[in-house]
Amino acid sequence: MDHDQIAAANLGEPLGVSVPLRIALTAEPIPSHVSALDYVTGPALAQGHDVALYAPVMFRREAQRRGVEFHRAGTDWTCDFAVQQAASEIWKESGNAPFNRYIFGRLWPDQAGAKAQDLITEWTRERPDLVIAECSDLGAHLAAKVLHLPVFAADNGLGPVLVDLWDTDIAPALTSLHKQHGQDTPVLPAMLTPAPAQWFYETPPPSVRAVRRTVAEFRIVLPEWLDRSPSTRPLVYVSLGTLTTAMSGLRTVVGSVYREVMAALSAIGCEAIVSAGELAKDLRSADRRIRVVEHVPQPALLRRADLFVTHGGRASLLDAVQGATPVLGMGVLADQPDNAAAFARRGLGRALELTATRGEIADAMTAVLGNSCYGAAMTAAHVELSQLPPLDLTELLAGG
């Protein structure tokens, strides 16, 4: 699609409503999580609703960039050094499954009480018509339940992890808090997801509703230094995510992976842009074809790239589909390894372990770049994604 077509798709349908709804969105303090809600925010605004984001203060600017109200709720607890260190050590010493149980079965429930209280106070003062909370925002789910507000969970990529751990870890950890507020057994709200459910859910829950994905307009505009005639060489874009580079305990591990990827890039003779967040200043490349930056508008760049080396976060993989760009997935934590493996099984690219050597990475990149079947599979996936129904907030409230 050209820029005008993408802009039109991002508007959502239908445009305009006779009575605007007050939509409350919530997010938890993970760097990319407001962007992960754009498939709700964009249509809500385009359809004429009043939208307010209730989130930790780290997201104030992100709310302003999207033209929505901001209300502080919860804390930036994931930025706490001790929290990051404890989570990182569990991941490094015990692997991803124990990490997920610790994060989602302990840390997230521990924070839910304070977030719920903030939201109960805010929503008692100004009651929303509809709450759309991140699927991992357990405090928001509780607050909506206490106040008898209609609520849907917005899948931010963690939906499959939450579903898998709900009965064994998450619900038991929340039971005491729910009882304090006079509520029954914790239940995950009906969920919205911006992709065909079978792409990421092994057994999709019956309550999951797939809707069309949109991204914020400013994220599909290339900066001037990138908006140029393409090279004759293939362009590889590399990003291992915002969370992995922000977590102090993971930086050494992820930095080593970036260096192996960059060595592989030098070996295969391509152009490359490496987006490394806080690690960018520590990554040097003697190869002039490899440019290291802190950040780029990823959805825009993936419309130009020939290959995306990614950590396998849900939003990043869907950016790749919308750009019809094959992937090389190197999953780090949470849902990422499973996501990367799922895309490889669908023929949308390949997947490697984080421990892969530069030679193995170079071979995998060469294989994807040299085989048109990956691009064809991505184009088919792009069509499938674009055919999902648009999110209609009025209809959602009436049906919910």
Side-chain angles (χ1 to χ4, degrees):
M1 291 192 294
D2 62 26
H3 182 275
D4 290 339
Q5 291 173 310
I6 292 175
N10 278 336
L11 290 176
E13 294 289 347
L15 292 177
V17 293
S18 56
V19 180
L21 300 172
R22 182 164 179 81
I23 309 294
L25 304 182
T26 79
E28 282 289 87
I30 300 294
S32 61
H33 277 206
V34 170
S35 294
L37 292 174
D38 281 340
Y39 73 98
V40 177
T41 308
L45 291 172
Q47 293 163 27
H49 301 298
D50 299 323
V51 183
L53 176 67
Y54 296 81
V57 71
M58 67 185 289
F59 289 133
R60 185 186 300 276
R61 181 172 180 271
E62 292 301 312
Q64 293 171 344
R65 296 176 80 185
R66 289 164 172 81
V68 304
E69 293 179 29
F70 177 80
H71 299 267
R72 182 174 181 173
T75 65
D76 297 334
W77 62 271
T78 60
C79 300
D80 184 279
F81 179 78
V83 170
Q84 293 185 3
Q85 282 296 111
S88 299
E89 289 305 314
I90 289 173
W91 180 83
K92 288 189 289 188
E93 294 178 5
S94 303
N96 196 44
F99 170 87
N100 285 344
R101 288 195 296 272
Y102 176 71
I103 292 291
F104 304 110
R106 178 175 170 183
L107 290 187
W108 240 277
D110 284 350
Q111 299 295 324
K115 183 70 172 289
Q117 193 56 59
D118 285 351
L119 293 175
I120 290 169
T121 300
E122 289 278 352
W123 293 343
T124 299
R125 183 183 304 120
E126 189 166 12
R127 187 179 179 89
D129 298 304
L130 174 65
V131 173
I132 301 183
E134 274 198 299
C135 60
S136 52
D137 195 341
L138 308 175
H141 305 164
L142 174 57
K145 190 174 181 180
V146 168
L147 296 176
H148 305 287
L149 295 170
V151 58
F152 285 83
D155 190 353
N156 54 20
L158 297 174
V161 176
L162 296 175
V163 169
D164 286 346
L165 295 177
W166 192 266
D167 291 337
T168 57
D169 295 81
I170 300 172
L174 289 172
T175 298
S176 176
L177 176 62
H178 275 241
K179 286 183 177 178
Q180 291 174 29
H181 288 272
Q183 302 302 309
D184 297 329
T185 303
V187 176
L188 187 63
M191 200 177 314
L192 305 172
T193 190
Q198 69 273 14
W199 284 11
F200 297 99
Y201 291 86
E202 185 174 348
T203 304
S207 64
V208 170
R209 178 190 298 205
V211 298
R212 187 175 302 166
R213 183 178 193 253
T214 63
V215 297
E217 281 293 305
F218 66 85
R219 300 187 67 228
I220 59 174
V221 178
L222 280 173
E224 288 186 8
W225 65 270
L226 275 171
D227 194 9
R228 55 181 173 76
S229 298
S231 165
T232 56
R233 292 185 288 264
L235 174 62
V236 179
Y237 169 56
V238 181
S239 174
L240 299 179
T242 52
L243 177 61
T244 56
T245 55
M247 288 182 67
S248 56
L250 287 180
R251 285 177 194 157
T252 301
V253 174
V254 176
S256 296
V257 178
Y258 269 116
R259 291 182 180 89
E260 289 296 295
V261 171
M262 290 170 64
L265 289 167
S266 292
I268 67 172
C270 64
E271 300 280 339
I273 296 171
V274 178
S275 177
E278 296 180 16
L279 280 172
K281 61 182 180 296
D282 300 321
L283 298 174
R284 306 294 181 189
S285 174
D287 191 333
R288 296 180 62 184
R289 298 169 303 170
I290 301 174
R291 181 162 185 168
V292 182
V293 299
E294 288 189 12
H295 176 72
V296 293
Q298 182 169 284
L301 182 56
L302 284 170
R303 293 165 56 202
R304 294 282 187 89
D306 299 288
L307 172 64
F308 181 22
V309 180
T310 172
H311 64 305
R314 170 78 63 87
S316 290
L317 291 175
L318 294 181
D319 285 343
V321 173
Q322 290 186 304
T325 304
V327 300
L328 172 58
M330 301 182 73
V332 182
L333 45 72
D335 58 312
Q336 299 162 10
D338 287 344
N339 292 344
F343 263 46
R345 287 195 300 271
R346 294 182 64 85
L348 304 176
R350 291 198 174 190
L352 288 176
E353 298 292 331
L354 277 183
T355 54
T357 65
R358 62 190 63 182
E360 292 169 331
I361 297 169
D363 288 345
M365 289 193 292
T366 300
V368 176
L369 287 169
N371 193 330
S372 62
C373 71
Y374 295 109
M378 264 296 184
T379 298
H382 170 83
V383 171
E384 184 179 359
L385 188 67
S386 67
Q387 290 176 342
L388 290 174
L391 176 61
D392 183 329
L393 277 296
T394 303
E395 183 275 332
L396 186 69
L397 179 59

mmCIF file of all heavy atoms in Angstrom, residues 19-52:
data_model
loop_
_atom_site.group_PDB
_atom_site.id
_atom_site.type_symbol
_atom_site.label_atom_id
_atom_site.label_comp_id
_atom_site.label_asym_id
_atom_site.label_seq_id
_atom_site.Cartn_x
_atom_site.Cartn_y
_atom_site.Cartn_z
ATOM 1 N N VAL A 19 -23.328 10.332 19.365
ATOM 2 C CA VAL A 19 -23.056 10.616 20.769
ATOM 3 C C VAL A 19 -21.668 10.077 21.099
ATOM 4 O O VAL A 19 -21.483 8.862 21.212
ATOM 5 C CB VAL A 19 -24.104 9.975 21.697
ATOM 6 C CG1 VAL A 19 -23.786 10.298 23.146
ATOM 7 C CG2 VAL A 19 -25.505 10.447 21.340
ATOM 8 N N PRO A 20 -20.674 10.956 21.261
ATOM 9 C CA PRO A 20 -19.328 10.466 21.561
ATOM 10 C C PRO A 20 -19.289 9.715 22.890
ATOM 11 O O PRO A 20 -19.922 10.110 23.868
ATOM 12 C CB PRO A 20 -18.493 11.750 21.632
ATOM 13 C CG PRO A 20 -19.275 12.770 20.879
ATOM 14 C CD PRO A 20 -20.718 12.416 21.118
ATOM 15 N N LEU A 21 -18.542 8.635 22.903
ATOM 16 C CA LEU A 21 -18.318 7.875 24.126
ATOM 17 C C LEU A 21 -17.061 8.386 24.810
ATOM 18 O O LEU A 21 -16.138 8.873 24.157
ATOM 19 C CB LEU A 21 -18.141 6.394 23.802
ATOM 20 C CG LEU A 21 -19.287 5.685 23.097
ATOM 21 C CD1 LEU A 21 -18.859 4.282 22.684
ATOM 22 C CD2 LEU A 21 -20.527 5.629 23.991
ATOM 23 N N ARG A 22 -17.037 8.243 26.131
ATOM 24 C CA ARG A 22 -15.802 8.520 26.855
ATOM 25 C C ARG A 22 -15.085 7.189 27.036
ATOM 26 O O ARG A 22 -15.547 6.312 27.784
ATOM 27 C CB ARG A 22 -16.089 9.180 28.200
ATOM 28 C CG ARG A 22 -14.799 9.516 28.954
ATOM 29 C CD ARG A 22 -15.001 10.491 30.086
ATOM 30 N NE ARG A 22 -13.735 10.756 30.776
ATOM 31 C CZ ARG A 22 -12.816 11.609 30.347
ATOM 32 N NH1 ARG A 22 -13.023 12.283 29.231
ATOM 33 N NH2 ARG A 22 -11.694 11.787 31.027
ATOM 34 N N ILE A 23 -13.965 7.045 26.325
ATOM 35 C CA ILE A 23 -13.207 5.795 26.320
ATOM 36 C C ILE A 23 -12.002 5.953 27.239
ATOM 37 O O ILE A 23 -11.191 6.870 27.064
ATOM 38 C CB ILE A 23 -12.721 5.434 24.905
ATOM 39 C CG1 ILE A 23 -13.869 5.483 23.888
ATOM 40 C CG2 ILE A 23 -12.033 4.074 24.909
ATOM 41 C CD1 ILE A 23 -14.922 4.442 24.111
ATOM 42 N N ALA A 24 -11.873 5.055 28.207
ATOM 43 C CA ALA A 24 -10.707 5.040 29.086
ATOM 44 C C ALA A 24 -9.769 3.930 28.638
ATOM 45 O O ALA A 24 -10.159 2.751 28.615
ATOM 46 C CB ALA A 24 -11.134 4.820 30.532
ATOM 47 N N LEU A 25 -8.545 4.299 28.266
ATOM 48 C CA LEU A 25 -7.501 3.327 27.933
ATOM 49 C C LEU A 25 -6.521 3.261 29.090
ATOM 50 O O LEU A 25 -6.281 4.254 29.766
ATOM 51 C CB LEU A 25 -6.745 3.740 26.671
ATOM 52 C CG LEU A 25 -7.552 3.982 25.400
ATOM 53 C CD1 LEU A 25 -6.609 4.342 24.260
ATOM 54 C CD2 LEU A 25 -8.367 2.763 25.040
ATOM 55 N N THR A 26 -5.939 2.088 29.318
ATOM 56 C CA THR A 26 -4.924 1.968 30.364
ATOM 57 C C THR A 26 -3.702 1.242 29.815
ATOM 58 O O THR A 26 -3.803 0.419 28.906
ATOM 59 C CB THR A 26 -5.430 1.191 31.601
ATOM 60 O OG1 THR A 26 -5.403 -0.215 31.340
ATOM 61 C CG2 THR A 26 -6.837 1.634 32.001
ATOM 62 N N ALA A 27 -2.548 1.586 30.387
ATOM 63 C CA ALA A 27 -1.295 0.946 29.991
ATOM 64 C C ALA A 27 -0.417 0.752 31.215
ATOM 65 O O ALA A 27 -0.498 1.507 32.184
ATOM 66 C CB ALA A 27 -0.562 1.792 28.952
ATOM 67 N N GLU A 28 0.419 -0.255 31.146
ATOM 68 C CA GLU A 28 1.398 -0.539 32.186
ATOM 69 C C GLU A 28 2.789 -0.143 31.701
ATOM 70 O O GLU A 28 3.032 -0.051 30.492
ATOM 71 C CB GLU A 28 1.360 -2.025 32.548
ATOM 72 C CG GLU A 28 0.186 -2.403 33.447
ATOM 73 C CD GLU A 28 0.366 -1.854 34.857
ATOM 74 O OE1 GLU A 28 -0.044 -0.692 35.078
ATOM 75 O OE2 GLU A 28 0.894 -2.560 35.730
ATOM 76 N N PRO A 29 3.740 0.111 32.624
ATOM 77 C CA PRO A 29 5.002 0.775 32.256
ATOM 78 C C PRO A 29 6.032 -0.100 31.542
ATOM 79 O O PRO A 29 7.098 -0.428 32.073
ATOM 80 C CB PRO A 29 5.535 1.263 33.607
ATOM 81 C CG PRO A 29 5.001 0.276 34.593
ATOM 82 C CD PRO A 29 3.633 -0.078 34.083
ATOM 83 N N ILE A 30 5.714 -0.468 30.307
ATOM 84 C CA ILE A 30 6.663 -1.113 29.404
ATOM 85 C C ILE A 30 6.827 -0.161 28.220
ATOM 86 O O ILE A 30 5.828 0.318 27.668
ATOM 87 C CB ILE A 30 6.148 -2.479 28.924
ATOM 88 C CG1 ILE A 30 5.914 -3.419 30.104
ATOM 89 C CG2 ILE A 30 7.124 -3.098 27.932
ATOM 90 C CD1 ILE A 30 7.161 -3.817 30.853
ATOM 91 N N PRO A 31 8.045 0.163 27.794
ATOM 92 C CA PRO A 31 8.267 1.268 26.857
ATOM 93 C C PRO A 31 7.383 1.294 25.619
ATOM 94 O O PRO A 31 6.917 2.341 25.207
ATOM 95 C CB PRO A 31 9.749 1.110 26.491
ATOM 96 C CG PRO A 31 10.362 0.491 27.712
ATOM 97 C CD PRO A 31 9.319 -0.435 28.256
ATOM 98 N N SER A 32 7.137 0.145 25.011
ATOM 99 C CA SER A 32 6.407 0.135 23.735
ATOM 100 C C SER A 32 4.898 -0.027 23.891
ATOM 101 O O SER A 32 4.182 -0.107 22.890
ATOM 102 C CB SER A 32 6.923 -1.011 22.860
ATOM 103 O OG SER A 32 6.698 -2.261 23.506
ATOM 104 N N HIS A 33 4.388 -0.045 25.119
ATOM 105 C CA HIS A 33 3.015 -0.494 25.293
ATOM 106 C C HIS A 33 1.941 0.507 24.888
ATOM 107 O O HIS A 33 0.813 0.102 24.604
ATOM 108 C CB HIS A 33 2.794 -0.988 26.722
ATOM 109 C CG HIS A 33 3.245 -2.402 26.915
ATOM 110 N ND1 HIS A 33 2.734 -3.234 27.875
ATOM 111 C CD2 HIS A 33 4.159 -3.134 26.238
ATOM 112 C CE1 HIS A 33 3.316 -4.417 27.801
ATOM 113 N NE2 HIS A 33 4.192 -4.383 26.818
ATOM 114 N N VAL A 34 2.235 1.792 24.845
ATOM 115 C CA VAL A 34 1.231 2.714 24.314
ATOM 116 C C VAL A 34 1.118 2.544 22.802
ATOM 117 O O VAL A 34 0.015 2.571 22.245
ATOM 118 C CB VAL A 34 1.554 4.168 24.706
ATOM 119 C CG1 VAL A 34 0.657 5.139 23.967
ATOM 120 C CG2 VAL A 34 1.360 4.362 26.204
ATOM 121 N N SER A 35 2.248 2.335 22.133
ATOM 122 C CA SER A 35 2.198 2.046 20.698
ATOM 123 C C SER A 35 1.400 0.781 20.418
ATOM 124 O O SER A 35 0.704 0.684 19.407
ATOM 125 C CB SER A 35 3.617 1.892 20.133
ATOM 126 O OG SER A 35 4.320 3.106 20.196
ATOM 127 N N ALA A 36 1.481 -0.192 21.321
ATOM 128 C CA ALA A 36 0.747 -1.449 21.142
ATOM 129 C C ALA A 36 -0.759 -1.245 21.235
ATOM 130 O O ALA A 36 -1.524 -2.121 20.821
ATOM 131 C CB ALA A 36 1.199 -2.475 22.177
ATOM 132 N N LEU A 37 -1.194 -0.094 21.769
ATOM 133 C CA LEU A 37 -2.624 0.210 21.874
ATOM 134 C C LEU A 37 -3.130 1.075 20.724
ATOM 135 O O LEU A 37 -4.312 1.454 20.710
ATOM 136 C CB LEU A 37 -2.907 0.932 23.192
ATOM 137 C CG LEU A 37 -2.727 0.122 24.480
ATOM 138 C CD1 LEU A 37 -2.899 1.028 25.688
ATOM 139 C CD2 LEU A 37 -3.710 -1.029 24.538
ATOM 140 N N ASP A 38 -2.286 1.398 19.756
ATOM 141 C CA ASP A 38 -2.705 2.296 18.678
ATOM 142 C C ASP A 38 -3.867 1.736 17.873
ATOM 143 O O ASP A 38 -4.637 2.498 17.270
ATOM 144 C CB ASP A 38 -1.527 2.602 17.747
ATOM 145 C CG ASP A 38 -0.586 3.650 18.321
ATOM 146 O OD1 ASP A 38 -1.003 4.404 19.223
ATOM 147 O OD2 ASP A 38 0.580 3.714 17.878
ATOM 148 N N TYR A 39 -4.017 0.415 17.837
ATOM 149 C CA TYR A 39 -5.129 -0.160 17.081
ATOM 150 C C TYR A 39 -6.481 0.110 17.748
ATOM 151 O O TYR A 39 -7.531 -0.078 17.134
ATOM 152 C CB TYR A 39 -4.920 -1.662 16.855
ATOM 153 C CG TYR A 39 -5.100 -2.561 18.054
ATOM 154 C CD1 TYR A 39 -6.290 -3.248 18.275
ATOM 155 C CD2 TYR A 39 -4.061 -2.768 18.958
ATOM 156 C CE1 TYR A 39 -6.446 -4.114 19.358
ATOM 157 C CE2 TYR A 39 -4.199 -3.617 20.035
ATOM 158 C CZ TYR A 39 -5.393 -4.288 20.232
ATOM 159 O OH TYR A 39 -5.536 -5.140 21.315
ATOM 160 N N VAL A 40 -6.445 0.569 18.993
ATOM 161 C CA VAL A 40 -7.653 1.031 19.683
ATOM 162 C C VAL A 40 -7.725 2.559 19.655
ATOM 163 O O VAL A 40 -8.765 3.150 19.351
ATOM 164 C CB VAL A 40 -7.691 0.532 21.140
ATOM 165 C CG1 VAL A 40 -8.911 1.090 21.866
ATOM 166 C CG2 VAL A 40 -7.693 -0.988 21.189
ATOM 167 N N THR A 41 -6.613 3.216 19.971
ATOM 168 C CA THR A 41 -6.586 4.672 20.062
ATOM 169 C C THR A 41 -6.975 5.337 18.753
ATOM 170 O O THR A 41 -7.814 6.250 18.724
ATOM 171 C CB THR A 41 -5.177 5.153 20.471
ATOM 172 O OG1 THR A 41 -4.754 4.465 21.642
ATOM 173 C CG2 THR A 41 -5.181 6.648 20.738
ATOM 174 N N GLY A 42 -6.374 4.905 17.644
ATOM 175 C CA GLY A 42 -6.638 5.518 16.348
ATOM 176 C C GLY A 42 -8.101 5.460 15.948
ATOM 177 O O GLY A 42 -8.711 6.491 15.641
ATOM 178 N N PRO A 43 -8.715 4.271 15.912
ATOM 179 C CA PRO A 43 -10.133 4.198 15.571
ATOM 180 C C PRO A 43 -11.028 4.970 16.527
ATOM 181 O O PRO A 43 -12.012 5.583 16.102
ATOM 182 C CB PRO A 43 -10.420 2.686 15.626
ATOM 183 C CG PRO A 43 -9.109 2.049 15.319
ATOM 184 C CD PRO A 43 -8.092 2.922 15.974
ATOM 185 N N ALA A 44 -10.721 4.955 17.825
ATOM 186 C CA ALA A 44 -11.554 5.680 18.791
ATOM 187 C C ALA A 44 -11.576 7.175 18.484
ATOM 188 O O ALA A 44 -12.632 7.823 18.510
ATOM 189 C CB ALA A 44 -11.060 5.434 20.207
ATOM 190 N N LEU A 45 -10.402 7.729 18.184
ATOM 191 C CA LEU A 45 -10.340 9.149 17.846
ATOM 192 C C LEU A 45 -11.015 9.428 16.510
ATOM 193 O O LEU A 45 -11.756 10.407 16.360
ATOM 194 C CB LEU A 45 -8.880 9.608 17.807
ATOM 195 C CG LEU A 45 -8.150 9.663 19.153
ATOM 196 C CD1 LEU A 45 -6.669 9.951 18.927
ATOM 197 C CD2 LEU A 45 -8.756 10.724 20.064
ATOM 198 N N ALA A 46 -10.756 8.578 15.513
ATOM 199 C CA ALA A 46 -11.324 8.792 14.185
ATOM 200 C C ALA A 46 -12.843 8.712 14.210
ATOM 201 O O ALA A 46 -13.513 9.381 13.420
ATOM 202 C CB ALA A 46 -10.756 7.761 13.203
ATOM 203 N N GLN A 47 -13.402 7.924 15.110
ATOM 204 C CA GLN A 47 -14.847 7.767 15.210
ATOM 205 C C GLN A 47 -15.501 8.829 16.099
ATOM 206 O O GLN A 47 -16.685 8.776 16.363
ATOM 207 C CB GLN A 47 -15.169 6.356 15.703
ATOM 208 C CG GLN A 47 -14.801 5.279 14.687
ATOM 209 C CD GLN A 47 -14.725 3.883 15.265
ATOM 210 O OE1 GLN A 47 -15.373 3.567 16.255
ATOM 211 N NE2 GLN A 47 -13.912 3.037 14.642
ATOM 212 N N GLY A 48 -14.692 9.797 16.553
ATOM 213 C CA GLY A 48 -15.248 10.949 17.257
ATOM 214 C C GLY A 48 -15.415 10.787 18.747
ATOM 215 O O GLY A 48 -16.109 11.602 19.377
ATOM 216 N N HIS A 49 -14.797 9.785 19.342
ATOM 217 C CA HIS A 49 -14.953 9.562 20.781
ATOM 218 C C HIS A 49 -13.942 10.380 21.584
ATOM 219 O O HIS A 49 -12.915 10.818 21.062
ATOM 220 C CB HIS A 49 -14.804 8.073 21.100
ATOM 221 C CG HIS A 49 -15.804 7.214 20.399
ATOM 222 N ND1 HIS A 49 -17.160 7.325 20.611
ATOM 223 C CD2 HIS A 49 -15.645 6.230 19.469
ATOM 224 C CE1 HIS A 49 -17.806 6.444 19.851
ATOM 225 N NE2 HIS A 49 -16.902 5.765 19.149
ATOM 226 N N ASP A 50 -14.236 10.581 22.845
ATOM 227 C CA ASP A 50 -13.320 11.243 23.772
ATOM 228 C C ASP A 50 -12.455 10.166 24.414
ATOM 229 O O ASP A 50 -12.990 9.249 25.052
ATOM 230 C CB ASP A 50 -14.091 12.003 24.852
ATOM 231 C CG ASP A 50 -14.969 13.103 24.264
ATOM 232 O OD1 ASP A 50 -14.542 13.744 23.295
ATOM 233 O OD2 ASP A 50 -16.090 13.305 24.776
ATOM 234 N N VAL A 51 -11.145 10.274 24.242
ATOM 235 C CA VAL A 51 -10.234 9.223 24.678
ATOM 236 C C VAL A 51 -9.300 9.765 25.751
ATOM 237 O O VAL A 51 -8.721 10.846 25.596
ATOM 238 C CB VAL A 51 -9.401 8.684 23.500
ATOM 239 C CG1 VAL A 51 -8.502 7.539 23.951
ATOM 240 C CG2 VAL A 51 -10.321 8.225 22.367
ATOM 241 N N ALA A 52 -9.152 9.013 26.828
ATOM 242 C CA ALA A 52 -8.225 9.376 27.898
ATOM 243 C C ALA A 52 -7.367 8.171 28.235
ATOM 244 O O ALA A 52 -7.861 7.042 28.339
ATOM 245 C CB ALA A 52 -8.992 9.836 29.134
#
